Amino acid sequence: MTAMMTPLPPAKGYRALREGRHSEAGGFYFLTFCSLDRLKGLSNAAIASAIIAEIDAMQADEAWTLHCGTIMPDHVHLLIELGQPLSLGKTIARLKAKTAANLRDRGLNWQPGYFDHRLRPREERLPYFHYTHLNPYRADLLRIEEKWPWFICSPTNQKWFVPMLNQELPEPTWLTGLP
């Protein structure tokens, strides 16, 4: 008679997030990383500018190609295509390391880890552009007639995405019924 094996409980926490994570050059990833304890301040002009400067430097170094992103008060969303020189984890580590001093100067730190979603090859990217662009409006950080200063979009993607907007603002119907 064999004893029935009880399944082990699923792993929990940050370690579980890393299991099965796959980093592939040329892959599209939707990334989210947060300030420690979700303290607000990332959208401070000096911090946001430092984050954008490092995003641009990483693009120049071909670590990734940025498609769009937004810097919120306590987190950052990016849609990127991963480049050759660094793994996904190392790109995030680099961005956090290069911007950590700016955060510390204002009493902030980065939360360990990050969240990622690897887009399937045929997965539509437009919903990620909408989600990223609408995030500050959904969070009630500004009125519909105001433009969020920390939404970033590559020039190539601006050519097709910005014409969908209402003078670079979301269409009011996009915001109806949002949580």
Side-chain angles (χ1 to χ4, degrees), residues 4 19 30 40 48 50 60 80 114 126 132 140:
M4 281 205 52
E19 289 179 16
F30 183 67
K40 296 184 184 329
I80 60 113
Y114 60 96
L126 181 59
T132 303
D140 219 13

Side-chain angles (χ1 to χ4, degrees), residues 6-172:
T6 310
L8 295 173
K12 294 185 179 175
Y14 176 65
R15 196 160 123 212
L17 290 173
R18 291 193 322 244
E19 289 179 16
R21 183 172 273 164
H22 182 68
S23 178
E24 182 179 339
F28 282 79
Y29 294 88
F30 183 67
L31 307 171
T32 303
F33 45 98
C34 306
S35 60
L36 187 62
D37 298 327
R38 300 291 298 253
L39 292 176
K40 296 184 184 329
L42 298 179
S43 57
N44 166 282
I47 293 174
S49 295
I51 293 169
I52 291 171
E54 185 55 29
I55 289 169
D56 291 343
M58 292 175 68
Q59 178 139 328
D61 293 345
E62 299 179 355
W64 62 30
T65 300
L66 173 78
H67 291 273
C68 71
T70 195
I71 301 169
M72 298 290 286
D74 61 354
H75 65 281
V76 175
H77 290 300
L78 300 176
L79 177 61
I80 60 113
E81 182 177 354
L82 190 61
Q84 288 289 339
L86 300 174
S87 69
L88 185 60
K90 288 186 181 195
T91 62
I92 300 298
R94 173 183 162 174
L95 186 139
K96 287 180 175 183
K98 297 278 188 165
T99 58
N102 295 84
L103 271 70
R104 276 193 306 275
D105 288 347
R106 286 159 185 81
L108 298 171
N109 287 297
W110 288 114
Q111 175 179 299
Y114 60 96
F115 301 95
D116 69 279
H117 168 72
R118 185 171 192 278
L119 281 66
R120 290 179 222 91
R122 291 189 176 97
E123 189 171 352
E124 288 292 324
R125 292 177 184 90
L126 181 59
Y128 296 94
F129 278 82
H130 281 162
Y131 181 85
T132 303
H133 186 258
L134 294 176
N135 206 232
Y137 298 95
R138 290 178 52 232
D140 219 13
L141 297 175
L142 68 166
R143 294 186 317 269
I144 183 89
E145 58 276 348
E146 296 176 309
K147 183 179 169 187
W148 185 247
W150 307 117
F151 172 74
I152 47 180
C153 188
S154 71
T156 302
N157 289 297
Q158 282 179 357
K159 288 177 186 174
W160 65 266
F161 183 65
V162 171
M164 297 178 138
L165 304 175
N166 178 11
Q167 298 176 5
E168 295 192 47
L169 300 171
E171 289 292 337

